[in-house]
Amino acid sequence: MSNLDELFMKEAIKEANKAEQINEVPIGAVIVHDGKMIARAHNLRETEQNSLAHAELLAIEQACRELGSWRLENTTLYVTLEPCPMCAGAIMLSRVERVVYGAKDPKGGCAGTLMNLLDDPRFNHQSIVDSGVLEEECGQLLSDFFRKLRQRKKQEKEWRRKQQGLGDLQ
Ligand SMILES: [Zn+2]
């Protein structure tokens, strides 16, 4: 791990912040090829109502277009949250050389937490995986988001209950 890893993870965090601003779960990813950032994306699942619109998949699509190849050799993918099984699969099939993630995902992480799809010799491609880069910052983004979401839901519930009460009085 290096200062460069932190630098690029900060770019992924910027992407996660963009997701947060549009009420998406704050997850961001960037892809770096030979030291140059060639793709950046954030989670758009709600916006697009598409379960495939994860930050990593969107970044992989951009990177393939940018390089004119499905083989993302000599690339590093930075993502704020540990990849899910779908994204880990796409990373493997795109032959991404290295993956760096921030926070672990105990409910879906397939890059070391629940299993490691990215570093299993039974598959024909393995990626180098480094975790824990700006882990606290990446995790905090998510816990803040879910805390606010719970508060908002609670407020909405109370508001509806009040409206209901007013309706009964009329
Ligand atoms: Zn995913």
Side-chain angles (χ1 to χ4, degrees):
M1 265 170 265
S2 66
N3 288 341
L4 266 182
D5 283 343
E6 290 201 356
L7 189 98
F8 288 124
M9 188 59 82
K10 279 183 184 155
E11 294 301 317
I13 289 172
K14 280 185 199 164
E15 286 298 315
N17 282 322
K18 287 185 201 167
E20 206 253 333
Q21 280 160 19
I22 53 169
N23 291 322
E24 293 277 0
V25 177
I27 303 166
V30 304
I31 296 178
V32 174
H33 176 252
D34 289 339
K36 186 178 159 243
M37 196 158 58
I38 57 165
R40 57 186 311 150
H42 52 271
N43 173 30
L44 287 175
R45 189 174 59 180
E46 297 297 330
T47 307
E48 298 194 351
Q49 284 300 304
N50 181 351
S51 57
L52 308 180
H54 286 197
E56 301 96 308
L57 288 199
L58 298 171
I60 285 172
E61 271 194 322
Q62 270 181 41
C64 289
R65 271 202 304 273
E66 187 66 27
L67 295 179
S69 170
W70 62 268
R71 290 184 190 85
L72 300 182
E73 282 158 358
N74 304 314
T75 59
T76 300
L77 183 146
Y78 293 86
V79 59
T80 56
L81 180 69
E82 183 177 358
C84 74
M86 171 178 72
C87 292
I91 287 165
M92 180 192 341
L93 296 173
S94 315
R95 302 189 182 167
V96 171
E97 186 176 299
R98 181 169 173 249
V99 174
V100 180
Y101 68 85
K104 287 186 174 59
D105 183 2
K107 288 186 180 163
C110 283
T113 298
L114 298 182
M115 61 185 77
N116 194 344
L117 288 173
L118 296 177
D119 188 18
D120 186 325
R122 291 173 297 176
F123 291 120
N124 70 356
H125 177 80
Q126 288 84 42
S127 303
I128 300 161
V129 179
D130 285 310
S131 61
V133 174
L134 302 180
E135 181 172 5
E136 217 166 294
E137 210 174 317
C138 293
Q140 196 64 46
L141 262 171
L142 288 159
S143 40
D144 286 351
F145 175 82
F146 286 113
R147 200 188 55 240
K148 279 186 217 156
L149 191 70
R150 281 193 298 273
Q151 276 170 357
R152 201 159 59 226
K153 281 195 174 150
K154 204 176 143 202
Q155 279 166 357
E156 276 170 13
K157 217 172 153 187
E158 276 166 18
W159 185 82
R160 270 200 302 275
R161 202 181 297 138
K162 270 183 204 160
Q163 292 297 104
Q164 185 68 43
L166 287 173
D168 290 345
L169 287 173
Q170 280 167 358

